């Protein structure tokens, strides 16, 4: 029984410290998980959509949603400037990354919200799911 | 006569302690980056990733500091060894699944490719194993001297 006492003590100390840290730390992780939106919901929305492309410049140049603002994490300041120029209060901001399982969209949407206060949604499915809609005239639902 | 046992013990302990202490502290300072690094691995959902982002750095720090105390050294080495083994497994999964995740072991200090991280994890595992071999496990009975 006593063999486990130091192990339990170390884990307990870490757990208590983490609990206190989560309470007092200025960062909030709860806000780091922006809501997602799919094509059907986006199409049903009566608000104009501002698409934000979180992919790399080469991927963006290879094809993107018409009117999409490129906001890549490695070139954040320039991209944020372009985003703020394009943003209007009535627009619905939707971020997409290459695929459904990529996480860049969440990171960019959370960072937009953290730094500007503007709520951004993540497009579920990413560019892979958006691509068929990019050139058929339904890009501004 | 060179006290190799003492040198190896001290060297392994200092390396393990230093690496995990730095790794833990930078993640405590910037939990947001660590949270996103966890999510990049595409294994844990949002809530679990939050819990791990708050808890894991403190476990690394408390175990690293516990290496300095003789009474807790064996347990600390066991925890750090298990953590290294876990990281090795996670990075292997990331490599196989090609998620593009990079290790955020040292937070914003360095972004290390998965392959290099796996080598580092294996090294840390080895160091923890050396410490486990050099130090006796705590007694498993309450009164070992009594019949």
């Amino acid at each position: 029984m006593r063999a486990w006492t130091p192990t339990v003590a170390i884990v307990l100390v870490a757990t208590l410290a983490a609990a206190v840290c989560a309470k007092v730390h200025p960062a909030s992780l709860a806000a780091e998980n922006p809501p997602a939106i799919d094509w059907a919901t986006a199409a049903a929305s009566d608000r104009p959509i501002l698409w934000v492309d979180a992919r790399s410049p080469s991927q963006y140049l290879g094809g993107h949603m018409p009117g999409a603002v490129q906001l890549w994490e490695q070139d954040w300041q320039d991209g944020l400037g372009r985003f703020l120029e394009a943003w209007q209060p009535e627009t619905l901001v939707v971020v997409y990354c290459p695929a459904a399982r990529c996480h860049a969209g969440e990171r960019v949407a959370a960072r937009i919200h953290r730094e500007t206060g503007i709520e951004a949604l993540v497009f579920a499915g990413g560019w892979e799911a958006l691509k068929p809609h990019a050139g058929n005239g339904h890009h501004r639902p | 006569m060179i006290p190799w046992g003492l040198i190896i013990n001290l060297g392994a302990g200092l390396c393990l302690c230093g690496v995990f202490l730095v790794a833990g502290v930078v993640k405590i300072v910037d939990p947001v980056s660590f949270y996103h690094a966890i999510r990049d691995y595409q294994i844990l959902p949002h809530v679990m990733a939050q819990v791990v982002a708050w808890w894991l750095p403190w476990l690394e720090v408390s175990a690293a500091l516990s290496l300095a105390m003789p009474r807790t050294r064996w347990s600390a080495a066991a925890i750090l060894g298990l953590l290294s083994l876990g990281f090795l497994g996670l990075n292997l999964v990331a490599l196989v699944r090609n998620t593009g995740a990079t290790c955020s072991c040292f937070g914003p200090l360095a972004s290390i490719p998965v392959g290099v991280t796996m080598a580092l994890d294996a090294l840390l595992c080895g160091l923890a194993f050396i410490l486990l071999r050099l130090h006796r496990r705590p007694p498993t009975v309450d009164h070992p001297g009594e019949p």
Side-chain angles (χ1 to χ4, degrees), chain A residues 8-67:
Chain A
V8 171
I10 293 168
V11 173
L12 206 62
V13 166
T15 307
L16 287 173
V20 172
C21 185
K23 286 277 178 206
V24 301
H25 203 289
S28 164
L29 298 185
E32 295 299 315
N33 186 33
I37 189 169
D38 57 13
W39 179 258
T41 314
S45 170
D46 51 2
R47 293 168 65 187
I49 292 183
L50 173 58
W51 295 102
V52 175
D53 192 318
R55 300 174 304 153
S56 67
S58 59
Q59 289 173 318
Y60 178 82
L61 290 174
H64 56 82
M65 287 302 280

Side-chain angles (χ1 to χ4, degrees), chain A residues 21-111:
Chain A
C21 185
K23 286 277 178 206
V24 301
H25 203 289
S28 164
L29 298 185
E32 295 299 315
N33 186 33
I37 189 169
D38 57 13
W39 179 258
T41 314
S45 170
D46 51 2
R47 293 168 65 187
I49 292 183
L50 173 58
W51 295 102
V52 175
D53 192 318
R55 300 174 304 153
S56 67
S58 59
Q59 289 173 318
Y60 178 82
L61 290 174
H64 56 82
M65 287 302 280
V69 174
Q70 201 221 345
L71 186 44
W72 193 41
E73 288 175 291
Q74 275 90 326
D75 185 24
W76 184 259
Q77 287 310 322
D78 286 348
L80 190 63
R82 287 192 296 269
F83 166 75
L84 290 173
E85 276 175 27
W87 180 77
Q88 297 293 323
E90 70 275 12
T91 52
L92 185 66
V93 178
V94 181
V95 184
Y96 64 89
C97 57
R101 290 187 67 81
C102 67
H103 180 62
E106 271 186 38
R107 276 200 308 265
V108 166
R111 193 166 172 188

Side-chain angles (χ1 to χ4, degrees), chain B residues 60-142:
Chain B
E60 290 178 335
V61 167
S62 61
L65 292 176
S66 301
L67 276 177
M69 290 177 276
R71 280 178 68 89
T72 53
R73 191 167 294 155
W74 190 91
S75 298
I79 289 172
L80 295 179
L82 283 175
L83 281 179
S84 304
L85 206 62
F87 296 153
L88 193 63
L90 274 178
N91 285 314
L92 189 67
V93 171
L95 202 66
V96 169
R97 291 170 66 187
N98 195 22
T99 58
T102 54
C103 166
S104 68
C105 328
F106 299 101
L109 293 184
S111 179
I112 308 171
V114 169
V116 180
T117 311
M118 287 173 69
L120 180 66
D121 289 335
L123 179 71
L124 293 174
C125 253
L127 293 177
F129 182 72
I130 288 171
L131 287 179
L132 288 173
R133 289 296 299 266
L134 288 174
H135 294 275
R136 272 191 325 118
R137 195 178 176 196
T140 53
V141 290
D142 286 343

